[in-house]
Amino acid sequence: MKKKLLMSLFGVVFAFPLLAQTWIWYPGDYELWLGNKMNNRRTERGAFFPPFWKMDSHYVLVEFSKKVDLQQPEEIEIWAEGQYNVKLDGKLQFGSPKKIMLTAGKHSLNIKVHNQLTPPSIFVKGNTIHSDSSWKVTFEDKEWIDESGKASDTSTTIYMDAGCWNFDMPEQLPSHYKLALKKQEAVKIKTTTASIATKSSSLVSNVYSMKDIGELFDFGKETFGYVTLQGLEGIGNINIYYGESPEEAQDTAYCETLDKLQLTGSAVINLATGISSPLKGNYTVSNSKAFRYIYITKDKSVKVDKVSMLYEYMPEEYRGSFRCNDQEINHIWDVAAYTMHLTTREFFIDGIKRDRWVWSGDAIQSYLMNYYLFFDKEEVKRTIWLLRGKDPVTSHINTIMDYTFFWFLSVYDYYMYTGDKHFVKQLYPRMQSMMDYVLQRTNKDGMVEGLAGDWVFVDWADGYMDKKGELSFEQVLFCKSLETMSLCAALVNDTNEESKYFALASALREKLQPAFWNTKKQALVHNRVNGKQSEAITRYANMFSVFFDYMTPQQKQAVKHSVLLNDSVMKITTPYMRFYELEALCAMGEQKAVMDEMKAYWGGMLCEGATSFWEKYNPTDKGKQHLAMYGRPYGKSLCHAWGASPIYLLGKYYLGVSPVKEGYKEFSIKPVLGGLRWMEGDVPTPNGKIHVYMNNHCIKVKADEGSGYLYIVSKRKPTASIGEIEKIAKNTYRLWIDTRDELIVKY
Amino acid sequence: MKKKLLMSLFGVVFAFPLLAQTWIWYPGDYELWLGNKMNNRRTERGAFFPPFWKMDSHYVLVEFSKKVDLQQPEEIEIWAEGQYNVKLDGKLQFGSPKKIMLTAGKHSLNIKVHNQLTPPSIFVKGNTIHSDSSWKVTFEDKEWIDESGKASDTSTTIYMDAGCWNFDMPEQLPSHYKLALKKQEAVKIKTTTASIATKSSSLVSNVYSMKDIGELFDFGKETFGYVTLQGLEGIGNINIYYGESPEEAQDTAYCETLDKLQLTGSAVINLATGISSPLKGNYTVSNSKAFRYIYITKDKSVKVDKVSMLYEYMPEEYRGSFRCNDQEINHIWDVAAYTMHLTTREFFIDGIKRDRWVWSGDAIQSYLMNYYLFFDKEEVKRTIWLLRGKDPVTSHINTIMDYTFFWFLSVYDYYMYTGDKHFVKQLYPRMQSMMDYVLQRTNKDGMVEGLAGDWVFVDWADGYMDKKGELSFEQVLFCKSLETMSLCAALVNDTNEESKYFALASALREKLQPAFWNTKKQALVHNRVNGKQSEAITRYANMFSVFFDYMTPQQKQAVKHSVLLNDSVMKITTPYMRFYELEALCAMGEQKAVMDEMKAYWGGMLCEGATSFWEKYNPTDKGKQHLAMYGRPYGKSLCHAWGASPIYLLGKYYLGVSPVKEGYKEFSIKPVLGGLRWMEGDVPTPNGKIHVYMNNHCIKVKADEGSGYLYIVSKRKPTASIGEIEKIAKNTYRLWIDTRDELIVKY
C-alpha cells in the first residue's frame, strides 16, 4: 500500500503522498472512454439505447515523456495498457522492456503506447522516478501557428501535462475500473397479478407469451444495481420487470426496463443481448438497473430460491451536512443527498433509470450540489471533459444550445470552488474551439438563434414555449459564457483573447436590455423574432439576470413581483429550473419564501412517497400522472440529479457559505435562518470544511482554511469572541475571520 | 458464393452483382482503422515503431439508415460488428434482433452500432433489401451551418453514403480481413559466421550472448511474410536476423529487423513482445518481415528441422503489361511490377522493410503506377482516406508540407483515371478542411513557408538543400493543389468555392515567375528568403513546371538544357524524384534520352543484383554503400514503391495511353518507341483495357471502352484500317478511335 505522510497544519490535515506514482494518460482521454461506457449502458425495454450526439474517443497512439536528473543509478519498472516502446536518451530499447536501468545523471525517457480498445496509459515506478501529472504527453499534434511567423525547419510537438486519477498501484488498471458493490435484500415480497391497466398493452408483441402472475419485490427505497437470482435452476423463461413505482414494475408491457432470460438447464441466455452464461446456482444480470420494485414472472419449470441485488455506487465521503429544527427540511436534505449519491456515478448523470447519460445542464447543477456535499473535484473534471468531447465541434453540447453555455459557466464555477487553475489551463484550448463554434453561428446582431441542428431547450414546460428567434434566456447565458471565457483567458495569461472576449461580452451585455426589457411589463420578454419583441414573459431570463447581476436593484425588485412571485407567469414544474428560480429569490433575500417553497415542492414529493427526488413534479398532478412523461406511462425518472437542489440552496443561502476568491482562499459566510429556529452544518472546502451553527441570537463558525467575512443581520451591534465587528449598512455587520478556532457571535 | 451476371457489351465484359449486399461502415472509418494496424506493424530491432503523426480512429457510434418500399412482405437478416439496436419505422425493437419481418409498403430502417475496438459495421440481407453504399450513415454530426440563416427547431443530422469494399458474405467480418498467404521455401542454405564487420557492434548489448555461428537462408529474391521454423523443439534461445542483403542478415548487431525467441520446452516466448505460444512442432513468427535472406543462430539445445516462410500478399490481377525487343527493359518492367506488388499491401506503403508506413508523396506515385498495372481503385481510395485522417487538421499529411499537396493532386488524378465522382464527393469536406489548414498558414504574399512543426521535405539529396523561406517547388505544388480544389469544387457543384479556389490559384500562378524565374540562369531558382531570390538552382520546381504547363514552350526548352540535362545542377539520387524528372523529359518528347536513363539507372540496380527496386540509388556508390542510409549501415530500403516508376513511364509515355476525360471516356494514345524496335502492352481502363502494339512502320490499337485520338508521328501520311487520318502539324497526324475492333495504322 502507498504510504502517506500526514501533516497537521493550522489544525488542518493534509495528505501528501510519499510515493506519487499513478497511472497516467492523455488528459481527457480516459474520461471520454469511460464516459462512452457510461453513456452506452442505457437500455429501453431490452434494446440498447445510446446517445444521439457525436461520441468522441481516446487518441489511440500517444507518447509520454519525462526528463530526469539522477543522483544515483536507478532501476525503473514500467507497466502499460497497450503495445509500447521505450526510448532512453533517444535510443529505442529492445522489445517492450518491463525494467530499465538508468545511470546517474541526466536522462530523457519517452514511452510511446498504442491501444485501440482502451486509453493508452502507463505506470512507472522507480526510486525517484514516478509517473504522475508532471509527465508530458502528446498525440503527435504539431505546433499549429508559429506566433512569430518565423519559418522553422524543426518539427515541434505539442505536449500536455499527463492526466491521472487515483489508480496508484500497478495492478489497478484504469481500464478495469468499476464502481463499488454491496449486497442488498428486498424488504417486502408479494405474489400478485401484473396490472394490465394500460389500454394498448395488448398491442405490444412480446417475444414469447407467459402468464402474468408473478412476485413483486420491494427494496424499500429507490436503488441501483444488479439483480441476483439465487438458486436459479430449471428449463424455461424468467422475466424481470423493473419499476421505480410498483405500478411500473407490474406493467410488464410498459415498464421502461426489463430483463428476459431463457434457461436451457445448463445455461442462462439473456434474450436481449443473446449472451449465454453457465447456469450454476446464482445468476446476476449483466446490466445494472434503477428500481425500487422488481416484478418477476417465470415458467413453473424455473425455480428461484431468493432474490437479492448488488447495490452499485461511487464511494463518496459526505463532507457537507445540514441539520435544523425542522424535521421535514432534514428529511428533504437527506433524500436530496441520497438522490445526489445515486446519480453520482462514474460521472454526474441525469437520472439512474433514464437517460443514464451525462447532460451539461443537469451536470452543472450536480457540480454545485457536489461542492456542498461531496466536494469530489475529480468527478467534476471527468464530467466536464466528457461533455466537451473533442474537436471538431459539430454540434452544441448534447446538441442543446443552452447546455453549451452551462458548460462554459461550470468551468469557472469549478475554479472558484476548487482553486484548480491547472485544469482550466488543460481545458482552455477546448473552451476556445467550443466558443469559436458558437461565435460562427451568431446572427448580424451578435446574438444566438436556433439554427438547423440546434436544440433550444430551456426547460420542460407544461405550457407552450416559443423557441423562435432570439430568446432572452439564451442571450443571457451566452453573455455570461463570454465573460467566463474572458476570465479563463486571463487565468491562462492569454491577454489578447481576454480582451477579445471581454469586448464581445460587453457588446452583448449592452444589447440585452434594449432588446428584451419591456418597461410596461417590468420584465425581460421571452424572445425577439425578426427584431420584434414578443409579448410573452417567462421566468428564465429574468431569474438568471437577477443572480448574474444583469439588472439594477430596482429592476430586480420589480421582477420579483412582476415575474418571480407572479402566479400568472407560466409556472416552473421541473426541479431543474426551480433551482435557479429559488436561487434568484435567495439572492434577493427571500430565504423565508424559499423555505416555504422547499417544504411545499420537495415536501410535496415526499408526501407522494418519494425516496429520491424526481425529474419533474407538478403538484396538481394526481396518482399515475406523477409517473408519466414524454407520452409514456412511466417515462418520468423518479431519481433525477436536478431534483437534489436543496443541498445547494441550504448550503449556499442558509448556512450562507461561498468562495469569494478561488478555492476558498477568501470565503463569504452570510447565514440566514429563513424562518428556522436553528440550523447547523458543514460546507466542504478544498482541504477541510467550514462549520456554521446559527440560532436566533448566536452564530458559531469554524473554518479549516481561508479567511473571509461573516455577515450578520442584526438590529443591534453583535459581539464576537474573536475579532472586530464593523457596521456596513443599516442592521448589517461584518467580521473578518482569520482563525482556525471556533468563533462565536452573539447578536 | 455470390452469383454474378456477366454481360458482354460492345465486346466489353461487365460484371453486375446480382445480390449486392456487402458489409458497410462510415466512409473512411474502416480505412483509418485498417491503416492504423498497418502503420503500427513496423519494428526496429525488436522494438515497436509507430508513426510520429496523429493517428485518427473510427467513430465508435454510428447509425445506418435506409428507406424501402416493399411490394411483398420480406424478412431481413442482420449481422453487425458491435453492439446494436434496430428501429423499424421509428420503433425500437427488443434486444439486438437477428431477423426482422417487414410488411409490404414503405418502411424506414435504422440500425445503430457501437464498437470501440473495430469500426461499427453491418451486413443486411433480404429478398430486396441489401446493405450497400446506397445506405446512409451518420456519426450524429449535426447540420453545421444553415445556409439560409433561418432559425430551425428541428434537429438535422448529416448523413453520408455508407462505405464498403468487398466483404460480400456475412461471415467475412471486415475486422477479420487478412492478406493472402502462400508457402515459400529457401533456395540456398549455408552455415556461416556472422560478419562482425561493423566496428561498433560490440557496443550493442544484446539481451543474452550467443555464439554468432549460424545458418544463412536465401529465398532467391526479395520477399515478405512470416518465417516458419519447422520441427522446432528443445530448451534455449534462437534468433532470426533478417536481411534484404546477405550482409544485413549476417550483421546481427545492425540488421534492421530480428526476432529473438526463447524456448522453454513447452512454449516459445517472443522476447520482444513477451508473448508466449505453445511449442508444438512448427512455429511461425507473429510479425511479418521483409527479407531475401535470414540468418539464424541458436543454442545447441534447440533443434529446427527446416525453415520456410509464408509469403503474404495482396491478390492483384496484372491488368497492365509491357513487352519490347529490349530484354533489359522487360526485366526492369518485371522487377518494377514485383516491387509494386510487394508494396501494394492493405495500402500502398513506402517500403516493405522500412517504414512500412503510408506516405503521401510515395503513395501518389504508387497510384499512378497502379493505374498502369493493377488498376485497383479500392486500394487508391483506402490509401487516400487513411492519409487524410480526420479533422481537426493538426499538421501536414505525414507532417510534410509537400505531401499535403501531393494528396490534393492524387484526388483529381484518381477522378481522371477512374471517373469515380462519388468518391470525390464523399471526400470533399475533408479536402476543404485540409486546404483551410494550408491557407491559414500562408504568408503575406499568399505563399507557403515552413513554419514550426512543418517538415519541408522535397527529396533526399546528397548535397545541401536550403529549406528556408519560400521554396519554388512548394509554391508550384500549392498552386496545382488550389487548381485541384477548384476542379473538385466544380465536380460537387460548389460554385462559390470553385471561384474562390480558382481566384487563389490564379493569383499565386501570376506570382510564380516574378518570384522565382531567373532570366540569366534561364531557370526557376530554388527559393526566396525575405523577398530575395537565392542563387541556387535545383531541378524540382523546374521539372514540375514543365509537366504542369506552368512555362512557355520557350522556357521549357531552355530549362531542358539549363537544368534537366545540365550535369552541374545537383543530381537526383532517388527514384522518387527521378520519376518526375523523367516524366518532364518525356513530356518534352525526350523518350529516347529517358530510355537510356532507365537502362542506366534501373538497369544499374539490376547489375547490383536488385530483385526489387530501391529507395535510393547513387550509381557512384560502391559495395555496402548501396545498403546504408540515415546513418545506419542497412538503413536503406531495397524494396521501395517509388522505385517502380518505369511501370508508369512505359505505360504513359511509350505505349502513350492516358485519359483525356474522366474514367477514359475519352483517351489519348501517343505511342513513342523511344529507340525500341517494337513494343506492346496493355493499359487498364475502368472496365477493360487498351492494347497497343508498335514497331517502326505499324501501330495496332484495340480499346475495350471509350473513344479518343491516336497520335502518329510520321514523315508520310499513315493509312488506317478504320477511320480517317487527319494531319495536325508537320509530321504529326491523328485518328479518332471509336471502335472495339483492332485498328491497324501503317506509317
Side-chain angles (χ1 to χ4, degrees), chain A residues 48 57 85 112 144 152 441 450, chain B residues 48 85 116 144 151-152 441 450:
Chain A
F48 162 59
S57 197
N85 72 26
K112 199 158 183 171
W144 204 77
S152 160
R441 295 166 71 85
Chain B
F48 163 57
N85 71 27
Q116 178 70 54
W144 204 77
S152 159
R441 295 167 70 85

Side-chain angles (χ1 to χ4, degrees), chain B residues 678-689:
Chain B
W678 63 266
M679 65 178 179
E680 76 174 323
D682 291 328
V683 172
T685 62
N687 304 294
K689 61 180 191 293

